[in-house]
Structures are given as structure tokens and as C-alpha cells.
Amino acid sequence: MAVLEILLWPDERLRRPSLAVEAFDAEFQAFVADLEETRRAGPAAVGIAAPQVGRHQQVVIVDCSQTRRPVPNHGWLVLVNPQILSWEGHAMGREGCLSVPDYTGNVLRAERITLRAHDPDGQMHEYDMEGFEARAVQHELDHLDGRVFLDRVVSRHTDVFRRKQYT
């Protein structure tokens, strides 16, 4: 496994939309292992998306099981070709990002989502998510569409903050 280089905002490669994964072969499995190694190397990272390492495929990894305060979660998830089927409610919350390491921002997201995605072996699953896990997944899915959280803040003057430390 390898820790991959993370693209940093405003790198234009972060703006490219991602393509669906079609082959769930050994090369893809090796990439997922490298992506997870990269997520684990990031400070306090609960998620990562393939475009953040320059691979424009629809793959995200999220794990909300190790947060400081326990939150409802499904554990470690590799979501391939994910699609949000429905969403409900809205809440404002603070987000950070491995690709925008020096800032955090207040972003409005759905409170609950229903999501369908393949696992790394190509099996389809459906998940009902809420709270922090739903927020983390929506954040990572934005990367698949070429967006970062800075694109979602209402005002960069009042909703973006210089990060003081990673926790």
C-alpha cells in the first residue's frame, strides 16, 4: 500500500467530474487500499474521495466510527458509484477537507439521506444515513462532481475560518 499525494485547492484537477467505475479488478482493489492508506495518513480524516488523489473515478471512503463523540454510523465504507436516492431536512455544520487543509467552513447539508452504492467487490448496497455520517458522505460525493466545501458556503467572508488545529 502507498500514501498517495493529495491535490490541494485551488488545483484545477479537483474541478473535474468523475466517471463510474466499471472494473472491480485487482488493480482497482489495490487503488482502494492505497486510498484508504492515504485517508488514514490524513489528520483526523473521516473521508476521502478518489479525485482528491487525481483519480477521477466515483469512489469514496468514509469511516465515522472513530469520532471523538460517538455518532450513528455504518463503520468503514467504500462507496463505489454512489447515488443519493433521497434526502430529508437540512442542517448547518462545520466541515474541513484534506484538500483544503488550512480552512473550515459552515455548510448546509441534508440531515438524512438514503444512498445506493457498490462495494469494492461490485455488490450493490443501500444505506440510510443521518447526522455526521450523512454530512461526511455528502461532502465526499461533492468531490466526485468537482466541488469542494468552499463551493457550498453561503459567504466566504462569514462562513470560512482559518483552521487553528486538527482534532
Side-chain angles (χ1 to χ4, degrees):
M1 291 188 290
V3 175
L4 306 170
E5 179 184 357
I6 294 177
L7 302 180
L8 298 178
W9 182 83
D11 190 311
E12 283 300 315
R13 291 174 289 177
L14 290 168
R15 297 286 183 203
R16 292 186 199 154
S18 297
L19 301 174
V21 173
E22 295 181 5
F24 297 83
D25 56 15
E27 188 279 331
F28 177 71
Q29 303 296 328
F31 169 70
V32 169
D34 289 346
L35 190 62
E36 172 62 3
E37 188 75 9
T38 305
R39 183 190 71 84
R40 288 178 170 263
V46 297
I48 192 168
Q52 291 180 274
V53 296
R55 185 159 166 156
H56 293 88
Q57 286 190 301
Q58 295 178 2
V59 181
V60 305
I61 298 175
V62 173
D63 184 356
C64 296
S65 66
Q66 304 296 316
T67 57
R68 258 187 302 162
R69 285 176 273 156
V71 297
N73 71 84
H74 292 84
W76 182 75
L77 294 172
V78 178
L79 304 170
V80 182
N81 303 331
Q83 293 183 319
I84 294 177
L85 303 174
S86 65
W87 58 87
E88 200 177 306
H90 290 91
M92 187 70 77
R94 186 72 60 95
E95 297 183 12
C97 181
L98 292 172
S99 292
V100 189
D102 296 331
Y103 295 93
T104 62
N106 291 329
V107 179
L108 189 65
R109 302 272 188 195
E111 291 179 296
R112 289 171 295 286
I113 61 171
T114 299
L115 176 89
R116 181 182 300 149
H118 292 95
D119 66 21
D121 297 318
Q123 300 298 310
M124 185 69 79
H125 300 273
E126 196 167 302
Y127 304 94
D128 291 318
M129 300 176 169
E130 64 182 9
F132 183 72
E133 184 179 50
R135 173 174 297 280
V137 166
Q138 291 171 80
H139 174 106
E140 299 308 333
L141 267 57
D142 271 354
H143 285 294
L144 304 182
D145 294 328
R147 293 189 193 114
V148 296
F149 76 87
L150 296 172
D151 299 316
R152 296 269 186 197
V153 297
V154 173
S155 167
R156 287 191 182 184
H157 296 289
T158 60
D159 293 325
V160 176
F161 310 92
R162 181 165 284 283
R163 185 185 293 273
K164 294 179 183 167
Q165 65 181 23
Y166 283 98
T167 56

